[in-house]
Amino acid sequence: MRPTLRAICRAASLLAGIAPCLQAQVADSSPFRRLDLPTPTSVRAASGAPGHDYWQQKVDYDLEGTLDTAKNEIRGRETIRYSNDSPDSLTYIWLQLDQNIFGANSINRSAPPPPLMFAGVPFDMAVTGAPAGFVIDTLKVEGIAATPHIWDTMLRLDLDRAIASGETVVLTITWRFTVPENGAARMGRDGKDYEIAQWYPRLAVYDDVHGWNTLPYIGPGEFYLEYGDIHARITVPSGMVVAGTGTLLNPDAVLSADERGRLQRASQSDEPVAVITAAEASAGRGHSTGMTTWSYAAHNVRDFAWATAPNFQWDAVRWSASPTDNKLIQTFYRPGAANWDKAIRMARHAIMSHSRWLTYAYPQASAVEGPINGMEYPMIVFVPADTSMHSLSWVMMHELGHEWFPMMLGSDERRYPWMDEGFNSFIDLYTVSDWWQGDAHADSVLNGPLTSYAANAVPGKEQPLITVPSEVHNLYWTAYQKPALMLRLLREDVLGTETFDAAFREYARRWQFRHPQPADFFRTMENVSGRDLGWYWREWVYTTARLDQSVESVTPSRDSTRIVLANRREMLMPAEVKLTFSDGTSETRRIPIEMWNYGRRFTLTIATAGKRVTAVEIDPRHAYPDTDRSNNRWPRSARGAH
């Protein structure tokens, strides 16, 4: 019987309803399926490089700051030149007012974040003390007073005339604030020792991904800033020494003849020179009245920070990046600071060693001892005194490593701390272990992230690396240790050091002084290495996948042995298998990730030439975070038998 038109329509309707179910049944569930990334554009290319239409804004600052030590107050004035290099016309702009985190009704004060634990050390970002924050005295656009709209740590400024693409607008602001004793663990003071940052209103980033980046500063999330040139004049009581971002412009006005001579000698010396000795620091510099202005200039930086004290010791040494490129390395510390007499050599080693990935771009680097447990800014870092040489070396080299991530590669720390803290922790593994070469601590540093796995990668509690920092419960693991482990395994066990290093260096070169996003990193690593790594990013960055490789069975025959390996959990990794034979010999075979192309089991058949396989072990170096090692060996031990 021929079907009627009505029957045909009814059948078509039923098939249309079934189609989504059929589609779901055949959805791509392969662990090697394509990773869903933003569509490439002419701004961000499919290769991971900046596209031919890449753009970013430029912000130049002229800053003036005066420190009143009696009131613990900074009064400031700034001129901002904001260049709109985007293709868009901007009718309003956003600025960051980070000191407003100390306001009476700030998000941080109203909903304080819990202390973050870093290897057992609390890092408390909850603000305390009397309400404070910026007091904006004047704000003008092109010389005309403007009305700000303030929300928490953000300020929106509506413009009378839009800033067209290619135009520049000039803002002038005067402001003041009280320096907090503990500035959310990022800046603050201890007596007359001041470490000053987030101290002036700064332009928010306007980019091709989010437009205006207006996530407030509430503590755990750090900073995302535009690049530009900064000239700063810092006025402090005479006799105090100022260390700052950039190059000191007026040494004749602020240093004695002896100090200038020693500083000049240090700039040409491979051995440290005491610019201000311990005895001189303890005695004071002989200026008891009046004020002195220190002038600094910095090119292509994203921020400016400074520190000052009346009793800084000051050591300096050069590092020659090339015959024509000398870097001045400096340390500033108070007399009696534990181990800081050795800090200058640590700082020099850090700048030299980190430059294996990308040569340090700036003319100087300064490390300052003080009340802050560790914080980084362009060309200057804050590092505490520490009774342990091991601890001091790690914090010193970690903070200086931030000169690469995010100071030279300006990633979005507010959203992706793993691209900042994680990448930095990774390069630190090699820098610190090199410093301790020949000491057991070298291996301890290298293996630290793997050693930390069991205690931190707790099922049901662990969060993916992609989680925004303001929602992360264990930032030490999610932002620091796990991404460092991810990159070390990618380098040493997936790609190989030569392939990884070429790709990672190219990523750094491409995105120096730019704003990379996660997809830019993923694509660069894949395009330069020639490997599809979507499976790797998915498991390590977007999920909390776990690894459990096992030796399932070993079946010998006359001239060969059949070994079945299995992957019992979500994470995939290549396999390394150690075979032990009856004659006492052994061999290790490495099997690439493609072993899992056809499923969760892989059969390895080896010719034995009359020898008998007596033992098989997967991951014999214990290099992987395998969650169940009882099934890694054959024959099974009594404890692991089942």
Side-chain angles (χ1 to χ4, degrees), residues 35 64 83 111 193 424 517-518 539 596 619 627:
L35 185 64
E64 297 178 10
S83 301
D193 182 356
N424 181 30
Q517 293 283 316
E539 293 169 357
W596 308 118
D619 188 22
T627 57

Side-chain angles (χ1 to χ4, degrees), residues 265-580:
R265 191 164 76 252
S267 70
Q268 302 298 319
S269 173
D270 296 326
E271 289 296 316
V273 174
V275 179
I276 297 178
T277 67
E280 291 167 340
S282 298
R285 299 176 67 234
H287 305 279
S288 57
T289 60
M291 304 289 283
T292 300
T293 298
W294 296 61
S295 183
Y296 281 91
H299 172 64
N300 219 1
V301 293
R302 38 171 268 164
D303 201 1
F304 186 97
W306 51 284
T308 186
N311 59 339
F312 273 149
Q313 288 183 234
W314 180 355
D315 295 337
V317 69
R318 77 167 178 183
W319 173 61
S320 297
S322 74
T324 58
D325 185 11
N326 286 337
K327 315 292 186 181
L328 182 66
I329 316 300
Q330 305 176 107
T331 53
F332 299 81
Y333 54 101
R334 293 168 292 183
N339 296 315
W340 270 77
D341 57 327
K342 306 173 185 66
I344 187 66
R345 295 186 185 277
M346 292 181 183
R348 184 179 188 272
H349 170 80
I351 297 298
M352 177 176 64
S353 180
H354 289 320
S355 289
R356 77 179 75 180
W357 306 107
L358 178 70
T359 301
Y360 183 63
Y362 296 120
Q364 71 93 5
S366 297
V368 182
E369 177 269 327
I372 301 306
N373 281 334
M375 193 57 202
E376 67 279 356
Y377 301 96
M379 292 185 247
I380 186 169
V381 299
F382 301 155
V383 180
D386 202 303
T387 55
S388 162
M389 281 285 287
H390 289 160
S391 179
L392 179 61
S393 66
W394 173 261
V395 179
M396 172 72 71
M397 296 179 195
H398 177 85
E399 301 310 331
L400 287 170
H402 277 301
E403 297 304 318
W404 281 257
F405 306 101
M407 303 308 159
M408 288 160 55
L409 278 80
S411 59
D412 183 353
E413 298 176 86
R414 195 79 100 225
R415 290 182 175 87
Y416 309 117
W418 61 274
M419 295 181 70
D420 154 40
E421 299 292 357
F423 287 16
N424 181 30
S425 296
F426 163 70
I427 66 175
D428 294 339
L429 296 180
Y430 299 100
T431 292
V432 180
S433 62
D434 285 351
W435 174 261
W436 289 104
Q437 191 171 15
D439 186 290
H441 188 63
D443 288 338
S444 176
V445 168
L446 271 178
N447 296 324
L450 181 61
T451 304
S452 301
Y453 188 90
N456 292 280
V458 179
K461 293 184 178 180
E462 187 185 16
Q463 297 168 283
L465 301 193
I466 204 68
T467 308
V468 294
S470 57
E471 299 176 16
V472 170
H473 305 301
N474 184 355
L475 202 66
Y476 170 74
W477 177 246
T478 305
Y480 294 73
Q481 295 293 289
K482 187 173 183 179
L485 176 61
M486 170 185 77
L487 292 177
R488 187 186 179 200
L489 291 178
L490 182 64
R491 180 178 191 257
E492 298 181 10
D493 288 272
V494 177
L495 294 180
T497 56
E498 183 178 350
T499 299
F500 176 94
D501 291 357
F504 197 69
R505 286 172 181 145
E506 178 63 9
Y507 166 71
R509 186 198 65 78
R510 285 177 172 181
W511 289 97
Q512 184 177 12
F513 303 131
R514 294 185 171 100
H515 295 316
Q517 293 283 316
D520 302 318
F521 172 66
F522 299 152
R523 285 172 166 144
T524 294
M525 294 300 292
E526 292 181 1
N527 272 258
V528 179
S529 71
R531 316 291 176 83
D532 181 357
L533 297 170
W535 60 276
Y536 198 79
W537 313 131
R538 181 182 295 109
E539 293 169 357
W540 284 92
V541 177
Y542 292 97
T543 73
T544 57
R546 286 170 173 76
L547 178 72
D548 182 13
Q549 295 181 337
S550 70
V551 181
E552 293 291 290
S553 64
V554 177
T555 306
S557 61
R558 178 186 298 178
D559 296 315
S560 65
T561 296
R562 181 174 178 268
I563 302 168
V564 177
L565 307 174
N567 193 80
R568 295 187 173 191
R569 296 295 299 268
E570 312 86 18
M571 179 180 283
L572 301 182
M573 289 293 284
E576 183 175 335
V577 182
K578 181 180 179 181
L579 310 170
T580 303

Side-chain angles (χ1 to χ4, degrees), residues 93-116:
I93 58 178
W94 282 92
L95 291 90
Q96 303 181 56
L97 305 180
D98 294 334
Q99 286 299 315
N100 281 8
I101 195 174
F102 304 102
N105 300 308
S106 71
I107 294 173
N108 182 295
R109 199 180 289 273
S110 301
L116 301 173

Side-chain angles (χ1 to χ4, degrees), residues 26 82 423:
V26 297
Y82 182 64
F423 287 16

